[in-house]
Amino acid sequence: MENNAAQNEVVDDQTEEKQEEAKKDGISFESQSELDSFMDKKVSKAIETARSKWEEEAKDREDKAKKLARMTEADRIKAEQADRDKELSKREQALQMREYSIQAKSTLADAGLPNTDELTELVLSDDVEKTNNNINYLKSVIADAVKSKVDELSKQTVPNSSSNFGSETTSIADLAAKNRVIK
């Protein structure tokens, strides 16, 4: 009963997501029956995918249980310990990556770069040294790009030495004499 309720909830969520996706994609339907047909196909596919995933997980659990049943008590204890060690290793790695992420954000902020999640994931690796190298490389690439853009925007045309201020040719001395207040 719980499985059916959970599957119905998943289907409802997926149906709402598909309707929003259809709106975003600009898909339009002439009638309600076309929409219903489209949604039925999408929901059926989602249910089939969920069911196959569930069946695969159930088969894996069954195979594991059969394997454990065939083992001796000592082998079963070793296998369970190995599974616990594997799970513990996964958790430790997840914690380590979270720590690396926090360090990367801090290093990005210290380098004067935005420390957004997207940028952090871009430079993050499973090694602190490699992450720092990625941040330094990103910083140098951004600095080079900014410098080249500033150089491009700051270029000015050099005035021609023969250009005149007016139609008549006058020297600076003539202009000074003409604009002299005391004569």
Side-chain angles (χ1 to χ4, degrees):
M1 189 70 168
E2 286 182 13
N3 265 348
N4 288 340
Q7 284 181 343
N8 288 340
E9 186 176 313
V10 168
V11 169
D12 290 342
D13 290 344
Q14 290 175 347
T15 303
E16 291 173 7
E17 290 173 8
K18 295 299 180 185
Q19 287 174 344
E20 291 174 12
E21 183 179 309
K23 288 178 185 176
K24 289 178 185 175
D25 291 341
I27 299 173
S28 62
F29 301 98
E30 297 295 322
S31 66
Q32 184 66 33
S33 62
E34 286 181 10
L35 174 63
D36 291 341
S37 173
F38 176 77
M39 293 308 297
D40 285 342
K41 288 178 185 175
K42 294 292 186 177
V43 168
S44 296
K45 185 176 180 181
I47 289 173
E48 188 61 35
T49 303
R51 179 174 287 161
S52 66
K53 191 175 185 180
W54 176 76
E55 287 173 353
E56 185 178 314
E57 289 173 358
K59 187 176 186 285
D60 288 344
R61 283 193 303 264
E62 185 180 326
D63 290 344
K64 187 176 179 180
K66 285 180 182 178
K67 223 184 242 187
L68 287 174
R70 282 183 267 151
M71 293 181 180
T72 64
E73 186 67 27
D75 290 340
R76 191 175 310 126
I77 291 172
K78 286 180 184 177
E80 289 173 355
Q81 182 64 35
D83 288 343
R84 283 192 293 262
D85 289 345
K86 190 175 183 181
E87 185 65 30
L88 183 62
S89 174
K90 284 181 185 179
R91 287 183 181 182
E92 285 177 354
Q93 186 176 14
L95 282 172
Q96 191 174 32
M97 289 306 291
R98 192 174 303 152
E99 183 181 327
Y100 288 166
S101 175
I102 291 169
Q103 286 177 343
K105 283 184 179 187
S106 174
T107 306
L108 283 169
D110 291 345
L113 298 172
N115 58 354
T116 62
D117 291 336
E118 295 84 15
L119 190 58
T120 303
E121 287 189 26
L122 180 68
V123 298
L124 190 63
S125 70
D126 55 354
D127 182 25
V128 175
E129 187 175 323
K130 189 171 182 180
T131 300
N132 287 336
N133 289 342
N134 291 343
I135 291 171
N136 290 334
Y137 178 71
L138 178 66
K139 184 178 177 183
S140 68
V141 166
I142 290 175
D144 290 345
V146 167
K147 183 181 181 300
S148 67
K149 190 66 173 178
V150 166
D151 289 346
E152 177 185 320
L153 293 174
S154 66
K155 287 184 181 175
Q156 296 179 355
T157 57
V158 178
N160 193 355
S161 61
S162 64
S163 65
N164 297 327
F165 290 108
S167 59
E168 55 188 56
T169 57
T170 56
S171 68
I172 293 178
D174 292 338
L175 284 174
K178 183 177 175 184
N179 293 322
R180 178 179 265 162
V181 177
I182 303 174
K183 295 190 179 188

